[in-house]
DNA sequence: AGCACGCCGACT
DNA sequence: GTCGGCGTGCTC
């Protein structure tokens, strides 16, 4: 047979595909292949037929890894759309869609050999010394990293030639599928007489038979052995042709062991019914326009999703449900599991690679037909997709922060369109992008204006922190206490909030306190010289964590001992300023002795199920006050929570980012929505120094429309999304000056290209990024701004493939439709 | 990303 | 002269 040519995308950061020869017919697009690449072997994806290549001879595919493509055509199409729109390398886009275990690379190992006494170069000696530590085979890549002396391949080859070491290459790994041996009953013995006849005096075999029969005819071999049956007993049954031994694929599903609560059967309200019917008829018509489900907090959006999914399943189709961060929305996920049981694959961020692969295969085979997960669940390989639900569509976590920098919500719309599926974006506080799409008729709006069960939205009160501070200052002046300390110390709990909490505690109701800032103090400042302790890798202040008595960088996780004296001038007069959740916990515990408090933030939720555990305790009434960062603001539904307190609403408001107000409004609205979800009603107290800010005022009045109107107007000058499309181009490198000049050169390059190509795109900048240094890298950025999306794609593609910074250290990150410009 | 190739300064 | 540092271009 004649060889065919295939185009292969490899998971590398290069905007290029490669052509290989393959014996016989070309494998279909979406098939994985193992190919030689440079001096190594890699796994890539066939994305189409290859074209004749002019340069040197083509290499041949080493192995076609699957008989039918593992990536469905639809997912492949989605990845190609993503690669083009977000201007990401095609192989990187594909890697984002597949379980990690499917894209391994070859590994090189070195083993020390006989130490010859030939002359070695200093570089060779370093390699030998690094190797002599152990006699075990070592990965070349880790050796290289440890030595930090560039490529060590010339040394390895030279050393191997004199016998000082040997090396071998292991091919890329294929994913392991866990199997277990199972014993299966193949002949059923009808009655006692037959048992007597077949088994006779073989007492243990007879008992084993009974156990197997009771278990439904199939049992893991290990289970039988664990019950004390000897191997020979099983063999006896096998020789009598009563059972067969076989292998069974084992799905690693950590959720299988979790309890499933029975579904609560709820009757939809009129508004819910209408939404459900609209969605159901769209499902039948295969209507293409996405829906924006705008429902106030507590209006029962989840019920609408569940009814839609029910109809999707009835029509024999499958569905995808995106949630912002799976660990943070256990209650929502639990509801899907309770209704659809083992049809649901939960793609949890804490899954191991093997577990993720198992879930993926279960979806691929149709064994499970609802994928629930964070943004990557979008690529679930389900067949006959009927619907995609994006819950809390406004959430910033739908944006991937590394290449491919896609937005889960926007890509959900694209996949639904490719599949002819219904797409529902739900939120109490829709993103302004979705809101404007709805206003322009691109999306269809569905409203759930009221809470279910006659619940009312909570009343919201504002406490002006400026007034509180003034009052406390005056009080401390009159009673002679330290005025400076009082001014600096910040207010944690105002009298109004203390009183409201006390009331709830007295009535055994529950309280949620939000402060969107971790740690104890957000910075440490020397009173003598004013120096603020900053991260050694990032241009941000370090946060003081009191429990560990350490300063921590919340960007790169750098940690150091908390100082006793100023590291610049030596003064011991340090002030710990700015309030974090750890401090709130301490103040609350001191103020309300006896109250049962739980804190939920990144620092207290490191374990796989720690979210579940904390929230479980709240659910069971073992917690009076739940305090935490934004992770307590979403999706929680506890009817006994009657008070929500926002310790400081201003956190994040002053970030140099055009979405600062929007994020504040969303956070305040979402957390307010946790109050009064039961018959007890609810109240919200927001402490702020900006009571006049429109984000605060709109949250106070539960008035999304007023917020949207005001914020849309604010974004016209200068123009920001959704009025225009943006891309953020960030250049970074280890030295400050080369990054700055590269950014200048890059912006100049783009401006010239735009001029020549007469593209309708503006370049704004360059300028240092708001966070000028991150993870030890200096950062500059510029923006591309346009009203014409396609134009931006053209410009970005030209730039990313054509601009050469001539600096290997420099990295360029292209972020289209950014959620933050930091 | 990771490697080879090639040019250049530093040191045996 | 040789070694190793680093910029540049390529990987089918």
């Amino acid at each position: 047979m004649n060889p065919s040519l295939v185009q292969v995308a490899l998971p590398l950061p290069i905007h290029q595909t490669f052509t290989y020869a393959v014996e016989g017919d070309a494998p279909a697009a979406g098939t994985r292949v193992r190919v030689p690449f440079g001096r190594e072997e890699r796994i890539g994806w066939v994305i189409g037929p290859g074209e004749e290549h002019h340069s040197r001879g083509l290499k041949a595919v080493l192995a076609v890894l699957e008989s039918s493509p593992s990536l469905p055509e639809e997912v492949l199409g989605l990845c190609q759309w993503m690669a083009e729109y977000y201007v990401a390398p095609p192989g990187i886009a594909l890697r984002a869609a597949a379980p990690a275990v499917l894209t391994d690379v070859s590994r090189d190992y070195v083993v020390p050999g006989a130490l010859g006494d030939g002359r070695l170069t200093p570089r060779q000696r370093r390699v030998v010394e690094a190797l002599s530590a152990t006699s075990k085979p070592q990965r070349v890549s880790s050796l290289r990293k440890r030595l930090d002396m560039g490529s060590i391949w010339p040394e390895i080859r030279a050393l191997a030639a004199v016998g000082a070491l040997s090396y071998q290459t292991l091919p890329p790994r294929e994913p392991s599928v866990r199997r277990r041996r199972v014993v299966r009953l193949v002949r059923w013995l009808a009655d006692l007489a037959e048992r007597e006849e077949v088994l006779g005096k073989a007492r243990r075999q007879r008992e084993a038979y009974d156990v197997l029969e009771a278990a439904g005819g199939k049992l893991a071999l290990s289970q039988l052995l664990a019950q004390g049956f000897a191997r020979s007993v099983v063999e006896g049954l096998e020789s009598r042709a009563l059972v067969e031994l076989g292998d069974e694929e084992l799905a690693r599903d950590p959720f299988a062991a979790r309890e499933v609560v029975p579904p609560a059967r709820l009757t939809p309200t009129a508004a819910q019914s209408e939404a459900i019917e609209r969605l159901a008829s769209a499902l039948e018509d295969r209507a293409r326009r996405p829906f924006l489900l705008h429902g106030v907090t507590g209006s029962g959006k989840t019920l609408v999703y569940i009814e839609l999914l029910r109809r999707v399943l009835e029509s024999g189709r499958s569905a995808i449900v995106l949630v912002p961060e799976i660990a943070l929305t256990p209650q929502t996920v639990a509801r899907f599991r309770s209704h659809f049981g083992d049809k649901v694959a939960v793609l949890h961020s804490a899954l191991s690679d093997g577990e993720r692969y198992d879930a993926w295969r279960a979806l691929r085979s149709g064994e499970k037909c609802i994928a629930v997960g964070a943004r990557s669940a979008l690529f679930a390989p389900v067949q006959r997709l009927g619907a995609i639900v994006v819950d809390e569509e406004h959430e910033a976590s739908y944006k991937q922060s590394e290449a491919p920098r896609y937005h889960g919500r926007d890509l959900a719309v694209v996949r639904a369109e490719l599949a002819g599926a219904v797409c529902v974006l739900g939120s109490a506080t829709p993103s302004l992008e979705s809101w404007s799409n709805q206003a322009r008729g691109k999306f269809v709006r569905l409203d759930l204006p009221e809470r279910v069960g006659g619940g009312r939205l909570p009343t919201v009160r504002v406490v002006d922190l400026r007034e509180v501070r003034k009052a406390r200052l005056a009080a401390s002046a009159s009673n002679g206490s330290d005025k400076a300390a009082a001014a600096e110390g910040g207010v944690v709990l105002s009298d109004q909030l203390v009183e409201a909490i006390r009331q709830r505690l007295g009535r055994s109701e529950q309280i949620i306190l939000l402060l969107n800032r971790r740690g104890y103090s957000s910075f440490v400042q020397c009173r003598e010289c004013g120096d603020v302790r900053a991260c050694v890798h990032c241009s941000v202040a370090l946060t003081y964590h009191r429990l560990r008595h350490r300063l921590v960088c919340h960007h790169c996780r750098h940690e150091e001992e908390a100082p006793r004296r100023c590291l610049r001038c030596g003064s011991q007069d340090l002030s710990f300023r700015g309030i974090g959740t750890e401090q709130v916990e301490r103040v609350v515990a001191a103020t309300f002795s006896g109250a049962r408090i739980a804190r939920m933030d990144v620092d207290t939720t490191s374990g796989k199920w720690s979210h579940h555990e904390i929230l479980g305790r709240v659910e069971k009434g073992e917690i009076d006050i739940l305090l935490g960062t934004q992770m307590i603001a979403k999706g929680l539904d506890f009817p006994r929570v009657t008070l929500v307190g926002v310790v400081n609403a201003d956190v994040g408001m002053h970030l140099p980012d055009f979405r600062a107000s929007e994020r504040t409004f969303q956070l305040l609205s979402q957390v307010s929505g946790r109050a009064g979800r039961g018959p007890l009603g609810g109240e919200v107290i927001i402490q702020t120094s900006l009571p006049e800010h429109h984000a605060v005022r709109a949250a106070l009045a539960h008035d999304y429309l007023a917020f949207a109107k005001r914020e849309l107007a604010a974004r016209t000058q200068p123009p920001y999304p959704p009025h225009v499309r943006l891309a953020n181009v960030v250049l970074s490198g280890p030295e400050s000056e080369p990054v700055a000049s590269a950014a200048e050169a890059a912006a100049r390059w783009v401006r010239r290209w735009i001029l020549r190509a007469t593209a309708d795109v503006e370049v704004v900048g360059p300028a240092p990024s708001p966070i000028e240094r991150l993870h030890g890298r200096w950062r500059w950025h510029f923006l591309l701004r346009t009203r014409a999306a396609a134009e931006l794609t053209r410009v970005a593609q030209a730039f990313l493939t054509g601009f050469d910074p001539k600096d290997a250290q420099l990295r360029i990150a292209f972020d289209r439709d950014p959620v933050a410009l930091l």
Side-chain angles (χ1 to χ4, degrees), chain A residues 168-179:
Chain A
Q168 68 171 138
T169 304
L170 258 57
R173 263 196 303 242
E174 274 292 282
S176 76
V177 173
R178 252 176 58 186
R179 289 169 203 285

Side-chain angles (χ1 to χ4, degrees), chain A residues 790-809:
Chain A
E791 294 283 276
L792 206 154
T793 312
R794 272 175 71 210
V795 173
Q797 275 169 352
F799 171 63
L800 291 170
T801 54
F803 174 72
D804 183 1
K806 302 248 179 270
D807 179 351
Q809 309 266 45

Side-chain angles (χ1 to χ4, degrees), chain A residues 751-779:
Chain A
R751 284 200 170 94
R752 293 219 337 243
W753 194 90
I754 287 171
L755 219 61
R756 260 189 304 141
T758 59
D760 185 15
V761 177
E762 261 180 288
V763 178
V764 185
S769 281
I771 299 177
E772 213 180 336
R773 212 160 86 94
L774 202 61
H775 290 105
R777 300 177 70 85
W778 294 89
R779 305 159 80 235

Side-chain angles (χ1 to χ4, degrees), chain A residues 441-457:
Chain A
K442 241 186 108 182
F443 293 174
V444 179
R445 192 174 98 217
L446 303 172
D447 284 311
L448 301 178
E450 309 210 323
R451 284 196 155 181
V452 293
R456 290 286 225 33
L457 285 168

Side-chain angles (χ1 to χ4, degrees), chain A residues 25-228:
Chain A
D25 289 338
T31 305
R32 281 183 318 127
V33 287
R34 184 154 55 86
V35 296
F37 187 77
R39 61 157 314 286
E40 49 189 1
E41 288 180 14
R42 291 182 166 268
I43 291 176
W45 310 85
V46 173
I47 59 168
E51 285 160 27
E52 196 54 65
H53 210 73
H54 46 88
S55 72
R56 273 163 297 166
L58 293 174
K59 288 188 184 172
V61 164
L62 297 169
V64 177
L65 299 174
E66 44 212 19
S67 51
S68 70
S70 58
L71 273 194
E73 211 182 320
E74 186 185 306
V75 175
L76 190 70
L78 183 66
C79 287
Q80 281 169 338
W81 190 94
M82 170 165 76
E84 184 174 325
Y85 182 83
Y86 293 101
V87 201
I92 298 288
L94 285 161
R95 189 179 58 182
V101 290
L102 292 183
T103 52
D104 199 29
V105 296
S106 60
R107 286 157 226 271
D108 301 294
Y109 288 85
V110 275
V111 194
L115 236 146
D117 40 22
R119 283 192 308 276
L120 299 182
T121 69
R123 278 176 67 89
Q124 288 168 356
R125 183 157 294 122
R126 280 170 71 186
V127 172
V128 169
E129 272 162 22
L131 206 53
S132 65
T134 68
S135 59
K136 284 184 187 145
Q138 285 201 51
R139 283 282 295 279
V140 172
S141 57
S142 59
L143 195 63
R144 196 186 84 97
K145 213 175 267 171
R146 207 139 38 85
L147 288 167
D148 191 29
M149 48 191 262
S151 172
I152 53 174
W153 275 107
E155 284 72 29
I156 289 175
R157 273 190 292 264
L159 289 166
V162 298
L165 54 76
S166 59
Y167 64 92
Q168 68 171 138
T169 304
L170 258 57
R173 263 196 303 242
E174 274 292 282
S176 76
V177 173
R178 252 176 58 186
R179 289 169 203 285
R180 59 171 181 186
R181 301 284 286 167
V182 289
V183 186
R184 201 174 275 116
L185 222 49
V186 288
R187 188 176 150 206
W188 298 74
L189 304 175
D191 48 40
L192 272 173
E194 199 180 353
R195 280 173 209 214
E196 197 63 43
E197 181 195 322
V198 177
L199 287 162
K201 289 201 294 283
R203 185 176 53 86
R204 289 300 277 164
Q205 289 186 32
R206 190 167 177 158
E207 284 165 15
Y209 177 90
D210 289 342
V211 169
L212 268 171
E213 189 182 45
K218 191 180 89 180
L219 216 51
L221 178 62
S222 59
Q223 268 175 295
L224 268 182
L225 299 180
Q227 287 185 34

Side-chain angles (χ1 to χ4, degrees), chain A residues 304-342:
Chain A
V304 175
Y305 304 150
I306 285 170
E307 287 307 316
L308 170 62
L309 297 193
R310 196 185 300 290
R311 304 191 190 206
V312 169
L313 296 200
E314 277 166 11
S315 68
R317 289 192 265 176
S318 55
I320 295 171
V321 180
L322 296 193
V323 293
E325 172 47 64
I326 199 108
L328 308 185
T329 48
Q331 287 187 322
T332 311
V333 173
R335 282 186 69 185
F336 289 112
R337 290 216 316 137
S338 77
H339 280 269
F340 303 108
D342 57 10

Side-chain angles (χ1 to χ4, degrees), chain A residues 711-753:
Chain A
E711 186 64 22
L712 283 170
R715 291 200 194 164
T716 52
Q717 214 180 7
Y720 274 114
H723 306 303
V724 289
R725 307 294 208 99
L726 284 189
N728 190 19
V729 183
V730 183
L731 295 92
S732 68
E735 310 292 340
S736 160
E737 198 283 322
V739 173
S741 50
E744 300 280 4
R748 217 165 29 238
W749 192 101
V750 176
R751 284 200 170 94
R752 293 219 337 243
W753 194 90

